């Protein structure tokens, strides 16, 4: 569980550095999005840790991206975004949905088993680090 806390601290540091010099109009919205990403992954991990299952790992990453994109748009205000920001957000959203669907379909074809997690899911610390790192990315 410490891995989620470590990732949260790292994300907050990156968010703080990324907003320097501080944007007076939207000072902490990147920090809120970073916390939201880690919390989303923590909730998904809690659901997946007993019994250890990797079935929803990739789809939870997709959902985290969607939540972060939507939050960044609505925290900043949809009216305040430029055309470039809208196009970039839509492109990332399309990529996220396509990749999430592909990865989730692949796991479903293999009866909910992802070979990447064969050894990791039996070690609680390593399993939690995978989920926490996904929230950081």
């Amino acid at each position: 569980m410490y891995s989620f806390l470590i990732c949260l601290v790292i994300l907050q540091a990156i968010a703080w550095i990324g907003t320097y010099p501080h944007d007076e109009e939207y000072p902490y919205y990147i920090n809120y999005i970073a916390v939201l990403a880690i919390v989303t992954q923590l909730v998904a991990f809690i659901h997946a840790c007993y019994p250890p299952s990797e079935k929803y790992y990739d789809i939870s990453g997709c959902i985290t991206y969607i939540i972060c994109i939507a939050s960044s748009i609505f925290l900043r205000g949809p009216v305040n975004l430029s055309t470039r920001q809208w196009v970039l957000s839509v492109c990332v959203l399309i990529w996220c949905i396509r990749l999430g669907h592909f990865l989730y379909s692949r796991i479903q074809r293999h009866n909910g088993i992802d070979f990447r997690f064969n050894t990791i899911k039996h070690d609680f610390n390593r399993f939690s680090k995978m989920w926490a790192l996904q929230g950081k990315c």
Side-chain angles (χ1 to χ4, degrees):
M1 259 331 165
Y2 292 115
S3 55
F4 283 98
L5 183 59
I6 291 168
C7 283
L8 183 61
V9 169
I10 291 170
L11 275 176
Q12 289 302 308
I14 291 170
W16 184 80
I17 291 168
T19 57
Y20 186 81
H22 294 291
D23 184 359
E24 282 82 27
E25 193 173 353
Y26 308 103
Y28 298 108
Y29 81 97
I30 294 177
N31 298 76
Y32 299 139
I33 293 169
V35 169
L36 191 59
I38 291 294
V39 168
T40 304
Q41 287 301 305
L42 180 61
V43 168
F45 171 72
I46 290 170
H47 175 71
C49 70
Y50 295 110
S53 171
E54 70 278 8
K55 187 174 186 177
Y56 301 110
Y57 180 77
D58 293 316
I59 199 74
S60 69
C62 175
I63 291 169
T64 302
Y65 263 97
I66 292 170
I67 288 172
C68 289
I69 292 167
S71 299
S72 70
I73 290 171
F74 292 112
L75 283 174
R76 196 144 174 132
V79 180
N80 297 329
L81 295 178
S82 68
T83 304
R84 178 185 57 85
Q85 291 168 321
W86 273 108
V87 169
L88 184 61
S89 296
V90 169
C91 287
V92 171
L93 189 63
I94 290 169
W95 165 81
C96 165
I97 292 170
R98 184 203 62 81
L99 181 63
H101 178 264
F102 167 75
L103 294 173
Y104 185 71
S105 301
R106 185 184 68 179
I107 289 176
Q108 292 302 325
R109 282 192 306 267
H110 293 96
N111 297 323
I113 297 172
D114 189 345
F115 69 90
R116 300 174 295 173
F117 287 90
N118 286 343
T119 58
I120 295 172
K121 70 180 176 182
H122 300 294
D123 181 3
F124 182 80
N125 289 330
R126 289 179 68 195
F127 194 54
S128 67
K129 285 176 190 173
M130 292 295 291
W131 286 82
L133 287 174
Q134 178 170 268
K136 192 172 86 170
C137 294

